[in-house]
């Protein structure tokens, strides 16, 4: 929706001229890399980590999202992940997820990589996104290579009821990347390859403080591509962005992609 405050025309806070330029850049790009963070799911009702009301404002990552935390108190960690699974299952993809999914389905050369573990890009349809930090809806064994997708409730009432490996019966854990862990090598390499080859990197809703994900935009920039950022606030990537759009994902992304004018 285009609105005007009497001065420069705006799309929920973003000045029209940069929006027009962003639209032209993505329309002309043969290859586009999209990097998303928690902000893209905020308007679906999924809490972010570092904004007002973000998870890391109420919880300590050290207690819930590290291998040490899981070793100390696997029941507490599973309880928290069970709660997040339930919360996210009450949420649906929003207009930004849907516009990206449709756009990626309609054109070759679009790669979507997300730091989110909420599965909302996949739920929106289109080509499967690169899930850099894993998925809330997959678990894996702490001992063997077993992995399983699932959306069922987690019974974290006691250590005995926690999810276990279907193959070797060892304790299972959420298949997400915790602080202090490395990302899956093939996954991050694929993302860097796509980011380096992109004419445009569209960055949506990330504080860009967690590595190596945040450096994906730098890879596009260093290879001569343009970075477009969509975020209500400045981030460390603003400095390298050709265009920074100060709006929300739902307000701006469908407009840039041409699915709303
Ligand atoms: P953050 O919570 O750090 O940042 C969310 C960003 O979204 C902020 O810059 C907000 O300004 C922006 N934002 C908020 N609402 C928005 C909206 N409606 N539209 C667009 N942007 C909006 O989340 P991430 O950057 O994704 O890692 O965090 C990165 C990683 O840190 C996460 O993947 C997670 C976390 O610890 C792991 O769990 C490994």
């Amino acid at each position: 929706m285009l609105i005007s405050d009497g001065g420069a025309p705006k799309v929920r806070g973003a000045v029209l001229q940069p929006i027009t330029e962003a639209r032209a850049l993505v329309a002309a790009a043969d290859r586009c890399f999209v990097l998303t963070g928690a902000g893209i799911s905020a308007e679906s009702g999924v809490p972010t980590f570092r904004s007002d009301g973000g998870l890391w404002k109420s919880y300590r990552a050290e207690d819930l999202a590290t291998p040490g935390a899981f070793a100390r108190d696997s029941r507490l960690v599973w309880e928290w992940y069970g709660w997040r699974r339930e919360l996210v299952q009450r949420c649906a993809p929003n207009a930004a997820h849907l516009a990206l999914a449709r756009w990626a389905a309609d054109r070759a050369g679009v790669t979507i990589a997300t730091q989110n573990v909420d599965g909302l890009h996949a739920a929106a349809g289109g080509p499967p996104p690169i899930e850099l930090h894993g998925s809330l809806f997959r678990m894996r064994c702490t001992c063997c290579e077993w992995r399983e997708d699932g959306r069922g409730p987690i019974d974290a009432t006691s250590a005995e009821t926690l999810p276990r490996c279907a193959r070797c019966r060892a304790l299972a854990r959420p298949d997400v990347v915790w602080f202090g862990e490395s990302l899956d090598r093939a996954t991050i390499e694929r993302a860097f390859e796509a980011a380096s080859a992109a004419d445009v990197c569209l960055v949506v809703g990330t504080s860009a403080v967690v590595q190596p994900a945040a450096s994906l935009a730098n890879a596009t920039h260093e290879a001569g591509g343009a970075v477009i950022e969509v975020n209500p606030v400045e981030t460390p990537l603003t400095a390298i962005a050709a265009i920074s759009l100060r709006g929300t994902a739902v307000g701006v992304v469908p407009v840039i992609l041409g699915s709303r004018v």
Side-chain angles (χ1 to χ4, degrees), residues 82-175:
W83 168 73
R84 286 180 63 198
R85 278 162 67 113
E86 281 175 28
L87 187 158
V88 167
Q89 286 194 88
R90 293 195 297 272
C91 300
N94 63 44
H97 297 108
L98 294 169
L100 278 169
R102 257 182 249 125
W103 184 64
D106 284 353
R107 335 168 19 133
V110 177
T111 304
I112 300 174
T114 186
Q115 297 165 86
N116 300 343
V117 294
D118 56 28
L120 291 181
H121 280 297
I130 300 178
E131 293 183 321
L132 297 164
H133 292 166
S135 169
L136 277 179
F137 301 108
R138 197 170 54 238
M139 57 179 77
R140 67 179 168 95
C141 182
T142 50
C143 287
C144 73
E145 298 303 307
W146 177 85
R147 276 184 162 78
E148 190 169 89
D149 292 329
R151 294 191 160 251
I154 302 296
D155 185 351
T157 46
S158 76
E160 287 68 44
T161 61
L162 296 181
R164 304 201 79 85
C165 173
R167 208 187 285 163
C168 74
R169 304 306 300 158
L171 186 62
R173 56 163 280 182
D175 194 7

Side-chain angles (χ1 to χ4, degrees), residues 36-44 47-52 54-56 61 65 80-81 84 94 96 114-117 132-134 176-181 183 203-211 213 229-236 245 247-251 253:
T36 69
I40 196 169
S41 298
E43 289 156 283
S44 291
T48 65
F49 293 95
R50 297 174 184 82
S51 313
D52 288 347
L55 293 172
W56 297 151
W80 192 65
Y81 278 92
R84 286 180 63 198
N94 63 44
T114 186
Q115 297 165 86
N116 300 343
V117 294
L132 297 164
H133 292 166
V176 298
V177 180
W178 283 328
F179 288 102
E181 294 185 319
L183 277 65
V203 183
V204 184
T206 177
S207 58
V209 295
V210 171
Q211 297 296 349
E229 177 182 59
V230 178
N231 198 309
V233 304
E234 262 188 38
T235 77
L245 298 165
T248 73
V250 166
V253 171

Side-chain angles (χ1 to χ4, degrees), residues 184-249:
D184 176 71
R185 182 189 288 264
T187 303
I188 190 68
E189 281 179 2
R190 192 153 70 89
F192 268 103
E193 207 172 290
S196 306
D199 306 303
V200 169
C201 175
L202 177 61
V203 183
V204 184
T206 177
S207 58
V209 295
V210 171
Q211 297 296 349
S215 296
L216 288 161
N218 296 81
T220 304
H221 177 65
E222 282 159 20
V227 175
I228 301 172
E229 177 182 59
V230 178
N231 198 309
V233 304
E234 262 188 38
T235 77
L237 292 178
T238 304
I240 62 157
I243 303 176
S244 278
L245 298 165
R246 296 275 160 263
T248 73

